[in-house]
Amino acid sequence: NQGTAFFVVGDRSPYHAELVTTDGSDYDKGVISSGQKGRGLGDCWSFESLTWNGKQFVQSASSSTGMCRLIAPGGAWDLPDFVTEVRHAAQ
């Protein structure tokens, strides 16, 4: 596993960098996502998404595949523990 740090940084000096997460895996179109393997066998995973709301990144999803039991590669289930509906502003 690897985590990438993501910061929100002001566009003018003194910039005031604010840490969002150190567990990031990817960033795309306002969403920081994270996927972490529970152990080397890859039979359990955890996932999280943080979405930009125009002011800050807020948690928008969190799930796991359950306990590490070697039931199925990649995990046997998708067990959400935080679910939202992200609505994009009209353009």
Coordinates of all heavy atoms in Angstrom, one line a residue:
N1 N 0.8 -1.2 0.0 CA 0.0 0.0 0.0 C 0.9 1.2 0.0 O 2.0 1.2 0.5 CB -0.9 0.0 1.2 CG -2.0 -1.0 1.1 OD1 -2.5 -1.3 0.0 ND2 -2.5 -1.5 2.2
Q2 N 0.3 2.3 -0.5 CA 1.0 3.6 -0.6 C -0.1 4.6 -0.4 O -1.2 4.5 -0.9 CB 1.7 3.7 -1.9 CG 2.4 5.1 -2.1 CD 3.1 5.1 -3.4 OE1 3.6 4.1 -3.9 NE2 3.0 6.3 -4.1
G3 N 0.3 5.7 0.3 CA -0.6 6.8 0.4 C 0.0 8.1 -0.1 O 1.2 8.3 0.1
T4 N -0.7 8.9 -0.8 CA -0.2 10.1 -1.4 C -0.9 11.3 -0.6 O -2.1 11.2 -0.4 CB -0.5 10.3 -2.9 OG1 0.1 9.2 -3.6 CG2 0.0 11.6 -3.4
A5 N -0.1 12.3 -0.2 CA -0.6 13.4 0.5 C -1.2 14.4 -0.5 O -0.7 14.6 -1.5 CB 0.4 14.1 1.3
F6 N -2.4 14.9 -0.2 CA -3.1 15.9 -1.0 C -3.3 17.1 -0.1 O -3.7 17.0 1.1 CB -4.4 15.4 -1.5 CG -4.3 14.4 -2.6 CD1 -4.1 13.1 -2.4 CD2 -4.3 14.8 -3.9 CE1 -4.0 12.2 -3.4 CE2 -4.2 13.9 -5.0 CZ -4.0 12.6 -4.7
F7 N -3.0 18.3 -0.6 CA -3.2 19.6 0.1 C -4.0 20.5 -0.7 O -4.1 20.5 -2.0 CB -1.8 20.3 0.2 CG -0.8 19.5 1.1 CD1 -0.1 18.5 0.6 CD2 -0.7 19.9 2.4 CE1 0.8 17.8 1.4 CE2 0.2 19.3 3.2 CZ 1.0 18.2 2.7
V8 N -4.7 21.4 0.0 CA -5.4 22.6 -0.7 C -4.5 23.8 -0.4 O -4.1 24.0 0.7 CB -6.8 22.8 -0.1 CG1 -7.4 24.1 -0.7 CG2 -7.7 21.7 -0.4
V9 N -4.1 24.4 -1.5 CA -3.1 25.5 -1.4 C -3.7 26.8 -2.0 O -4.3 26.8 -3.1 CB -1.8 25.2 -2.1 CG1 -0.8 26.3 -2.0 CG2 -1.2 23.9 -1.6
G10 N -3.6 27.9 -1.3 CA -4.1 29.2 -1.7 C -3.4 29.6 -3.0 O -2.2 29.2 -3.3
D11 N -4.0 30.5 -3.8 CA -3.4 30.9 -5.1 C -2.5 32.1 -4.9 O -2.0 32.6 -5.9 CB -4.5 31.1 -6.2 CG -5.5 32.1 -5.8 OD1 -5.5 32.6 -4.7 OD2 -6.3 32.4 -6.6
R12 N -2.4 32.7 -3.7 CA -1.6 33.9 -3.5 C -0.8 33.7 -2.2 O -1.2 33.0 -1.3 CB -2.5 35.1 -3.3 CG -3.1 35.6 -4.6 CD -3.8 36.9 -4.5 NE -5.0 36.7 -3.7 CZ -6.2 36.7 -4.2 NH1 -6.4 36.8 -5.5 NH2 -7.3 36.5 -3.4
S13 N 0.4 34.3 -2.2 CA 1.2 34.3 -1.0 C 0.4 34.8 0.2 O -0.3 35.7 0.1 CB 2.5 35.1 -1.2 OG 3.3 35.0 -0.1
P14 N 0.5 34.1 1.3 CA 1.4 33.1 1.8 C 1.0 31.7 1.6 O 1.5 30.8 2.2 CB 1.6 33.4 3.3 CG 0.2 34.0 3.7 CD -0.3 34.7 2.5
Y15 N 0.0 31.5 0.8 CA -0.5 30.2 0.3 C -1.2 29.3 1.3 O -2.2 28.6 1.0 CB 0.6 29.4 -0.4 CG 1.3 30.2 -1.5 CD1 2.6 30.7 -1.4 CD2 0.6 30.4 -2.7 CE1 3.1 31.4 -2.4 CE2 1.1 31.2 -3.7 CZ 2.4 31.7 -3.6 OH 3.0 32.4 -4.5
H16 N -0.8 29.2 2.5 CA -1.5 28.4 3.6 C -1.9 27.0 3.1 O -3.1 26.8 3.0 CB -2.7 29.2 4.1 CG -2.3 30.5 4.8 ND1 -1.7 30.6 6.0 CD2 -2.6 31.7 4.4 CE1 -1.5 31.8 6.3 NE2 -2.0 32.6 5.4
A17 N -1.0 26.2 2.9 CA -1.3 24.8 2.5 C -2.0 24.1 3.6 O -1.5 24.1 4.8 CB 0.0 24.1 2.1
E18 N -3.1 23.5 3.3 CA -3.9 22.7 4.3 C -3.9 21.2 3.9 O -4.4 20.9 2.8 CB -5.3 23.2 4.4 CG -5.4 24.6 5.0 CD -6.8 25.1 5.1 OE1 -7.7 24.3 5.5 OE2 -7.1 26.3 4.8
L19 N -3.5 20.3 4.8 CA -3.5 18.9 4.5 C -4.9 18.4 4.4 O -5.7 18.7 5.3 CB -2.7 18.2 5.6 CG -2.6 16.6 5.4 CD1 -1.9 16.3 4.1 CD2 -2.0 16.0 6.6
V20 N -5.2 17.6 3.4 CA -6.5 17.0 3.2 C -6.4 15.5 3.7 O -7.2 15.1 4.5 CB -7.0 17.1 1.8 CG1 -8.3 16.3 1.6 CG2 -7.2 18.5 1.3
T21 N -5.5 14.8 3.1 CA -5.3 13.4 3.5 C -3.9 13.0 3.2 O -3.2 13.6 2.3 CB -6.3 12.5 2.8 OG1 -6.1 11.1 3.2 CG2 -6.1 12.5 1.3
T22 N -3.4 11.9 3.8 CA -2.1 11.3 3.5 C -2.4 9.9 2.9 O -1.4 9.1 2.7 CB -1.2 11.2 4.7 OG1 -1.8 10.5 5.7 CG2 -0.8 12.6 5.2
D23 N -3.6 9.5 2.7 CA -4.0 8.2 2.2 C -4.5 8.2 0.8 O -5.2 7.2 0.4 CB -5.1 7.6 3.2 CG -4.6 7.4 4.6 OD1 -3.4 7.1 4.7 OD2 -5.4 7.5 5.5
G24 N -4.3 9.2 0.1 CA -4.9 9.3 -1.3 C -4.2 8.3 -2.3 O -3.1 8.0 -2.1
S25 N -5.0 7.9 -3.2 CA -4.5 7.0 -4.3 C -4.6 7.7 -5.7 O -3.8 7.5 -6.5 CB -5.3 5.7 -4.4 OG -5.2 5.0 -3.2
D26 N -5.6 8.6 -5.8 CA -5.9 9.2 -7.1 C -6.7 10.5 -6.9 O -7.4 10.7 -5.9 CB -6.6 8.3 -8.0 CG -6.7 8.7 -9.5 OD1 -5.7 9.3 -10.0 OD2 -7.8 8.6 -10.1
Y27 N -6.6 11.4 -7.9 CA -7.4 12.6 -8.0 C -7.9 12.7 -9.4 O -7.2 12.6 -10.4 CB -6.6 13.9 -7.6 CG -7.4 15.1 -7.9 CD1 -8.2 15.6 -6.9 CD2 -7.3 15.8 -9.1 CE1 -9.0 16.7 -7.1 CE2 -8.0 17.0 -9.3 CZ -8.9 17.4 -8.3 OH -9.6 18.5 -8.5
D28 N -9.2 13.0 -9.5 CA -9.9 13.2 -10.8 C -11.1 14.1 -10.6 O -12.0 13.7 -9.9 CB -10.2 11.9 -11.5 CG -10.7 12.0 -12.9 OD1 -10.2 12.9 -13.6 OD2 -11.6 11.3 -13.2
K29 N -11.2 15.2 -11.3 CA -12.4 16.0 -11.4 C -13.0 16.3 -10.0 O -14.2 16.2 -9.8 CB -13.4 15.4 -12.3 CG -12.9 15.3 -13.8 CD -13.9 14.6 -14.6 CE -13.3 14.4 -16.0 NZ -14.1 13.5 -16.8
G30 N -12.1 16.8 -9.1 CA -12.7 17.2 -7.8 C -12.9 16.1 -6.8 O -13.4 16.3 -5.7
V31 N -12.4 14.9 -7.1 CA -12.5 13.7 -6.2 C -11.2 13.1 -5.9 O -10.5 12.7 -6.8 CB -13.5 12.7 -6.7 CG1 -13.6 11.5 -5.8 CG2 -14.9 13.3 -7.0
I32 N -10.9 13.0 -4.6 CA -9.7 12.3 -4.1 C -10.2 10.9 -3.7 O -11.1 10.8 -2.9 CB -9.0 13.0 -2.9 CG1 -8.5 14.4 -3.3 CG2 -7.8 12.1 -2.4 CD1 -8.0 15.2 -2.1
S33 N -9.6 9.9 -4.3 CA -10.0 8.5 -3.9 C -8.9 7.8 -3.3 O -7.7 8.1 -3.5 CB -10.5 7.8 -5.2 OG -9.5 7.7 -6.2
S34 N -9.2 6.8 -2.5 CA -8.2 6.0 -1.8 C -8.7 4.6 -1.8 O -9.8 4.3 -1.6 CB -8.1 6.5 -0.3 OG -7.3 5.6 0.4
G35 N -7.8 3.7 -2.2 CA -8.0 2.2 -2.1 C -6.8 1.6 -1.5 O -5.7 1.7 -1.9
Q36 N -7.1 0.9 -0.4 CA -6.0 0.2 0.4 C -6.3 -1.2 0.6 O -7.4 -1.6 1.0 CB -5.8 0.9 1.7 CG -5.5 2.4 1.7 CD -4.2 2.7 1.1 OE1 -3.2 2.0 1.3 NE2 -4.1 3.8 0.3
K37 N -5.3 -2.0 0.3 CA -5.4 -3.5 0.5 C -5.2 -3.8 2.0 O -4.3 -3.3 2.6 CB -4.3 -4.2 -0.3 CG -4.5 -5.6 -0.6 CD -3.6 -6.2 -1.7 CE -2.3 -5.6 -1.9 NZ -1.5 -6.5 -2.8
G38 N -6.0 -4.7 2.5 CA -5.9 -5.1 3.9 C -4.7 -5.9 4.3 O -4.2 -5.9 5.4
R39 N -4.3 -6.8 3.3 CA -3.1 -7.6 3.5 C -2.6 -8.0 2.1 O -3.3 -7.8 1.1 CB -3.3 -8.7 4.4 CG -4.3 -9.8 3.9 CD -4.4 -10.9 4.9 NE -5.4 -11.9 4.5 CZ -5.6 -13.0 5.1 NH1 -5.0 -13.3 6.2 NH2 -6.5 -13.9 4.6
G40 N -1.4 -8.6 2.1 CA -0.8 -8.9 0.8 C -1.6 -9.8 -0.1 O -1.4 -9.8 -1.3
L41 N -2.4 -10.6 0.4 CA -3.2 -11.5 -0.5 C -4.3 -10.8 -1.3 O -4.8 -11.4 -2.2 CB -3.9 -12.6 0.4 CG -2.9 -13.5 1.2 CD1 -3.7 -14.4 2.2 CD2 -2.1 -14.3 0.3
G42 N -4.6 -9.6 -0.9 CA -5.6 -8.9 -1.7 C -7.0 -9.4 -1.5 O -7.9 -9.2 -2.4
D43 N -7.3 -10.0 -0.4 CA -8.6 -10.6 -0.2 C -9.5 -9.6 0.6 O -10.7 -10.0 0.9 CB -8.6 -11.9 0.5 CG -7.9 -11.9 1.8 OD1 -7.1 -11.0 2.1 OD2 -8.2 -12.8 2.6
C44 N -9.0 -8.5 1.0 CA -9.8 -7.5 1.7 C -9.3 -6.1 1.3 O -8.1 -5.9 1.2 CB -9.8 -7.7 3.2 SG -8.1 -7.8 3.9
W45 N -10.2 -5.2 1.2 CA -9.9 -3.8 0.7 C -10.7 -2.8 1.5 O -11.8 -3.1 1.9 CB -10.2 -3.6 -0.8 CG -9.2 -4.3 -1.7 CD1 -9.2 -5.7 -2.0 CD2 -8.1 -3.7 -2.4 NE1 -8.1 -5.9 -2.8 CE2 -7.5 -4.8 -3.1 CE3 -7.6 -2.4 -2.5 CZ2 -6.4 -4.5 -3.9 CZ3 -6.5 -2.2 -3.3 CH2 -5.9 -3.3 -3.9
S46 N -10.2 -1.6 1.5 CA -11.0 -0.4 2.0 C -10.9 0.7 1.0 O -9.9 0.9 0.4 CB -10.6 0.0 3.4 OG -9.2 0.5 3.3
F47 N -12.0 1.5 0.9 CA -12.1 2.5 -0.1 C -12.7 3.8 0.5 O -13.5 3.7 1.4 CB -13.0 2.1 -1.3 CG -12.6 0.8 -2.0 CD1 -13.1 -0.4 -1.6 CD2 -11.5 0.8 -2.9 CE1 -12.8 -1.6 -2.2 CE2 -11.1 -0.4 -3.5 CZ -11.8 -1.5 -3.2
E48 N -12.2 4.9 0.1 CA -12.8 6.2 0.5 C -12.7 7.2 -0.6 O -11.8 7.2 -1.4 CB -12.0 6.7 1.7 CG -12.6 8.0 2.3 CD -11.9 8.5 3.6 OE1 -10.7 8.2 3.7 OE2 -12.6 9.1 4.4
S49 N -13.7 8.1 -0.6 CA -13.7 9.2 -1.6 C -13.9 10.5 -0.8 O -14.8 10.6 0.1 CB -14.8 9.1 -2.6 OG -14.6 8.0 -3.4
L50 N -13.2 11.6 -1.2 CA -13.4 12.9 -0.7 C -13.7 13.8 -1.9 O -12.9 13.8 -2.9 CB -12.1 13.4 0.0 CG -11.6 12.5 1.2 CD1 -10.2 12.9 1.5 CD2 -12.5 12.7 2.4
T51 N -14.8 14.6 -1.8 CA -15.2 15.4 -3.0 C -15.2 16.9 -2.6 O -15.5 17.3 -1.5 CB -16.7 15.0 -3.3 OG1 -16.6 13.6 -3.7 CG2 -17.1 15.8 -4.5
W52 N -14.7 17.7 -3.5 CA -14.6 19.1 -3.4 C -16.0 19.7 -3.4 O -16.7 19.5 -4.4 CB -13.7 19.7 -4.5 CG -13.5 21.2 -4.4 CD1 -14.0 22.1 -5.2 CD2 -12.7 21.9 -3.4 NE1 -13.6 23.4 -4.8 CE2 -12.8 23.2 -3.7 CE3 -11.9 21.5 -2.3 CZ2 -12.2 24.2 -2.9 CZ3 -11.3 22.4 -1.6 CH2 -11.4 23.8 -1.9
N53 N -16.4 20.5 -2.4 CA -17.7 21.1 -2.4 C -17.7 22.6 -2.7 O -18.7 23.3 -2.5 CB -18.4 20.8 -1.1 CG -17.8 21.6 0.1 OD1 -16.9 22.4 -0.1 ND2 -18.3 21.4 1.3
G54 N -16.6 23.0 -3.3 CA -16.4 24.4 -3.6 C -15.7 25.2 -2.5 O -15.2 26.3 -2.8
K55 N -15.6 24.7 -1.3 CA -14.8 25.3 -0.2 C -13.8 24.4 0.4 O -12.8 24.8 0.8 CB -15.8 25.7 0.9 CG -16.8 26.8 0.4 CD -17.7 27.2 1.5 CE -18.7 28.3 1.0 NZ -19.6 28.7 2.1
Q56 N -14.1 23.1 0.4 CA -13.2 22.1 1.0 C -13.5 20.7 0.5 O -14.6 20.5 -0.1 CB -13.4 22.2 2.6 CG -14.7 21.7 3.0 CD -14.9 21.9 4.5 OE1 -14.0 22.2 5.2 NE2 -16.1 21.7 5.0
F57 N -12.7 19.8 0.8 CA -12.9 18.4 0.5 C -13.7 17.8 1.6 O -13.4 17.9 2.8 CB -11.6 17.6 0.3 CG -11.0 17.8 -1.1 CD1 -10.1 18.8 -1.3 CD2 -11.5 17.1 -2.2 CE1 -9.5 19.0 -2.5 CE2 -10.9 17.3 -3.4 CZ -9.9 18.2 -3.6
V58 N -14.8 17.1 1.3 CA -15.6 16.4 2.3 C -15.8 14.9 2.0 O -15.8 14.6 0.8 CB -17.0 17.1 2.5 CG1 -16.9 18.5 3.0 CG2 -17.8 17.1 1.1
Q59 N -15.9 14.1 3.0 CA -16.1 12.7 2.7 C -17.4 12.5 1.9 O -18.4 13.0 2.3 CB -16.2 11.9 4.1 CG -16.2 10.4 3.9 CD -16.3 9.7 5.2 OE1 -16.8 10.2 6.2 NE2 -15.8 8.5 5.2
S60 N -17.3 11.6 0.9 CA -18.4 11.4 0.0 C -18.7 9.9 -0.1 O -19.8 9.5 -0.5 CB -18.3 12.0 -1.3 OG -17.1 11.6 -1.9
A61 N -17.8 9.0 0.3 CA -18.0 7.6 0.3 C -17.0 6.9 1.1 O -15.9 7.3 1.2 CB -18.0 7.0 -1.1
S62 N -17.4 5.7 1.7 CA -16.4 4.9 2.4 C -17.0 3.5 2.4 O -18.2 3.3 2.6 CB -16.3 5.4 3.8 OG -15.5 4.5 4.6
S63 N -16.2 2.5 2.1 CA -16.6 1.1 2.1 C -15.5 0.2 2.3 O -14.3 0.6 2.2 CB -17.4 0.8 0.7 OG -16.5 0.8 -0.3
S64 N -15.8 -1.1 2.5 CA -14.8 -2.1 2.6 C -15.3 -3.4 2.0 O -16.5 -3.5 1.7 CB -14.3 -2.4 4.0 OG -15.3 -3.1 4.7
T65 N -14.5 -4.4 1.8 CA -14.9 -5.7 1.3 C -15.1 -6.7 2.5 O -15.2 -7.9 2.3 CB -13.9 -6.3 0.3 OG1 -12.7 -6.4 0.9 CG2 -13.8 -5.4 -0.9
G66 N -15.0 -6.2 3.7 CA -15.2 -7.1 4.9 C -13.9 -7.6 5.4 O -12.8 -7.2 5.0
M67 N -14.0 -8.5 6.3 CA -12.8 -9.1 7.0 C -12.0 -9.9 6.0 O -12.5 -10.4 5.1 CB -13.3 -9.9 8.2 CG -13.9 -9.1 9.2 SD -14.6 -9.9 10.7 CE -14.0 -11.5 10.7
C68 N -10.7 -9.9 6.3 CA -9.7 -10.7 5.5 C -9.9 -12.2 5.8 O -9.4 -12.7 6.8 CB -8.3 -10.3 5.8 SG -8.0 -8.5 5.6
R69 N -10.6 -12.9 4.9 CA -10.9 -14.3 5.2 C -10.5 -15.2 4.0 O -10.9 -16.4 4.0 CB -12.4 -14.5 5.5 CG -12.8 -13.8 6.8 CD -12.3 -14.6 8.0 NE -12.9 -14.2 9.2 CZ -12.2 -13.8 10.3 NH1 -10.9 -13.8 10.3 NH2 -12.9 -13.4 11.3
L70 N -9.9 -14.7 3.0 CA -9.5 -15.4 1.8 C -10.7 -16.1 1.1 O -10.6 -17.2 0.6 CB -8.4 -16.4 2.1 CG -7.5 -16.9 1.0 CD1 -6.9 -15.8 0.2 CD2 -6.5 -17.9 1.4
I71 N -11.8 -15.4 1.1 CA -13.0 -16.0 0.5 C -12.9 -15.8 -1.0 O -13.2 -16.7 -1.8 CB -14.3 -15.3 1.0 CG1 -14.5 -15.6 2.5 CG2 -15.5 -15.7 0.2 CD1 -15.6 -14.9 3.2
A72 N -12.5 -14.6 -1.5 CA -12.4 -14.3 -2.9 C -11.3 -13.2 -3.1 O -11.2 -12.3 -2.3 CB -13.7 -13.8 -3.4
P73 N -10.5 -13.3 -4.2 CA -9.6 -12.3 -4.5 C -10.3 -10.9 -4.7 O -11.4 -10.9 -5.3 CB -8.9 -12.7 -5.8 CG -9.2 -14.2 -5.9 CD -10.5 -14.4 -5.1
G74 N -9.8 -9.9 -4.1 CA -10.4 -8.6 -4.2 C -11.5 -8.4 -3.2 O -12.1 -7.3 -3.2
G75 N -11.8 -9.4 -2.4 CA -12.9 -9.3 -1.4 C -14.2 -9.9 -1.9 O -14.4 -9.9 -3.1
A76 N -15.0 -10.3 -1.0 CA -16.2 -11.0 -1.4 C -17.4 -10.0 -1.5 O -18.4 -10.3 -2.2 CB -16.5 -12.1 -0.4
W77 N -17.4 -8.9 -0.8 CA -18.6 -8.0 -0.8 C -18.2 -6.6 -0.9 O -17.0 -6.2 -0.7 CB -19.3 -8.2 0.5 CG -19.7 -9.6 0.8 CD1 -20.8 -10.2 0.4 CD2 -19.0 -10.5 1.7 NE1 -20.8 -11.5 0.8 CE2 -19.7 -11.7 1.7 CE3 -17.9 -10.4 2.4 CZ2 -19.4 -12.8 2.4 CZ3 -17.5 -11.6 3.1 CH2 -18.2 -12.7 3.1
D78 N -19.1 -5.7 -1.2 CA -18.9 -4.3 -1.1 C -19.8 -3.8 0.0 O -21.1 -3.9 -0.1 CB -19.3 -3.5 -2.4 CG -19.2 -2.0 -2.3 OD1 -18.3 -1.6 -1.5 OD2 -19.9 -1.3 -3.0
L79 N -19.2 -3.4 1.2 CA -19.9 -3.1 2.4 C -19.8 -1.6 2.7 O -18.8 -1.2 3.3 CB -19.4 -3.9 3.6 CG -19.4 -5.4 3.4 CD1 -18.6 -6.1 4.5 CD2 -20.8 -5.9 3.3
P80 N -20.7 -0.8 2.1 CA -20.6 0.6 2.4 C -20.9 1.0 3.8 O -21.8 0.4 4.4 CB -21.6 1.2 1.4 CG -22.6 0.1 1.2 CD -21.9 -1.1 1.3
D81 N -20.1 1.9 4.4 CA -20.4 2.4 5.7 C -20.7 4.0 5.7 O -21.0 4.5 6.7 CB -19.4 2.1 6.7 CG -18.0 2.4 6.3 OD1 -17.8 3.5 5.8 OD2 -17.0 1.7 6.7
F82 N -20.5 4.6 4.5 CA -20.8 6.0 4.3 C -21.1 6.2 2.9 O -20.3 5.9 2.0 CB -19.6 6.9 4.7 CG -20.0 8.4 4.8 CD1 -20.6 8.9 5.9 CD2 -19.7 9.2 3.7 CE1 -20.9 10.3 5.9 CE2 -20.0 10.5 3.7 CZ -20.6 11.1 4.8
V83 N -22.4 6.6 2.6 CA -22.9 6.8 1.2 C -23.5 8.2 1.1 O -24.2 8.6 2.0 CB -23.9 5.7 0.9 CG1 -24.5 5.9 -0.5 CG2 -23.3 4.3 1.1
T84 N -23.2 8.9 0.0 CA -23.8 10.2 -0.3 C -24.2 10.2 -1.7 O -23.9 9.3 -2.5 CB -22.9 11.3 -0.1 OG1 -21.7 11.2 -0.9 CG2 -22.4 11.4 1.4
E85 N -25.0 11.2 -2.1 CA -25.4 11.4 -3.5 C -24.7 12.8 -3.8 O -25.1 13.8 -3.2 CB -26.9 11.5 -3.7 CG -27.2 11.8 -5.1 CD -28.7 11.9 -5.3 OE1 -29.5 11.5 -4.5 OE2 -29.1 12.5 -6.4
V86 N -23.7 12.8 -4.7 CA -23.1 14.0 -5.1 C -23.8 14.6 -6.2 O -24.0 14.0 -7.3 CB -21.6 13.7 -5.5 CG1 -20.9 15.0 -6.0 CG2 -20.8 13.1 -4.3
R87 N -24.3 15.9 -6.0 CA -25.0 16.6 -7.1 C -24.1 17.7 -7.6 O -23.6 18.6 -6.8 CB -26.3 17.2 -6.5 CG -27.2 16.2 -6.1 CD -28.5 16.8 -5.6 NE -29.4 15.7 -5.1 CZ -30.5 16.0 -4.5 NH1 -30.9 17.2 -4.3 NH2 -31.3 15.0 -4.1
H88 N -23.8 17.7 -8.9 CA -23.0 18.7 -9.5 C -23.8 20.0 -9.8 O -24.9 19.9 -10.2 CB -22.3 18.1 -10.7 CG -21.4 17.0 -10.4 ND1 -20.2 17.1 -9.9 CD2 -21.7 15.6 -10.5 CE1 -19.7 15.9 -9.8 NE2 -20.6 15.0 -10.1
A89 N -23.1 21.1 -9.6 CA -23.8 22.4 -9.9 C -24.1 22.5 -11.4 O -23.4 22.0 -12.2 CB -22.9 23.5 -9.5
A90 N -25.2 23.1 -11.7 CA -25.6 23.3 -13.1 C -24.6 24.3 -13.8 O -24.1 25.2 -13.1 CB -27.0 23.9 -13.2
Q91 N -24.2 24.0 -15.0 CA -23.2 24.8 -15.7 C -23.8 25.6 -16.7 O -24.6 25.5 -17.4 CB -22.1 23.9 -16.2 CG -21.4 23.2 -15.1 CD -20.2 22.4 -15.6 OE1 -19.8 22.5 -16.7 NE2 -19.7 21.6 -14.7

